[in-house]
Amino acid sequence: MTPQKPTIRFKSIKENYDKEKSGIKNNTLRFTDDWTPERWEAYSKAEIVIISNKENPRDKFQREITDKTKYKNVVIITWKNQQ
């Protein structure tokens, strides 16, 4: 899994990871209170999101980002489901 486009990575707990990977939940919500300038830059440029299972980091998937929404100290990244 080597993305060609700008990418941002996150880890999700198993319950959320399973929903995200299956397509039931095609977004991730993140609090940004501790984000560094580098993290903000990755978010700004990202076209691909890679989500890994927090309990098993080798279990991961990637999706094409369709929307990024910022509100106060929260961002929501939405992606295109696999067909």
Side-chain angles (χ1 to χ4, degrees), residues 20-73:
E20 292 164 348
K21 187 173 183 181
S22 73
I24 292 171
K25 178 180 171 296
N26 67 329
N27 63 65
T28 188
L29 181 144
R30 301 293 163 152
F31 291 98
T32 61
D33 299 321
D34 62 350
W35 280 21
T36 63
E38 294 81 14
R39 188 65 159 170
W40 278 111
E41 184 175 354
Y43 166 80
S44 298
K45 294 179 179 180
E47 296 177 37
I48 300 291
V49 61
I50 296 177
I51 306 286
S52 62
N53 181 339
K54 192 171 186 176
E55 296 172 19
N56 180 6
R58 291 183 184 213
D59 187 11
K60 57 188 162 193
F61 67 91
Q62 74 179 36
R63 300 286 187 267
E64 183 179 343
I65 295 171
T66 57
D67 183 69
K68 294 183 269 184
T69 301
K70 179 179 180 255
Y71 180 73
K72 296 186 179 182
N73 69 331

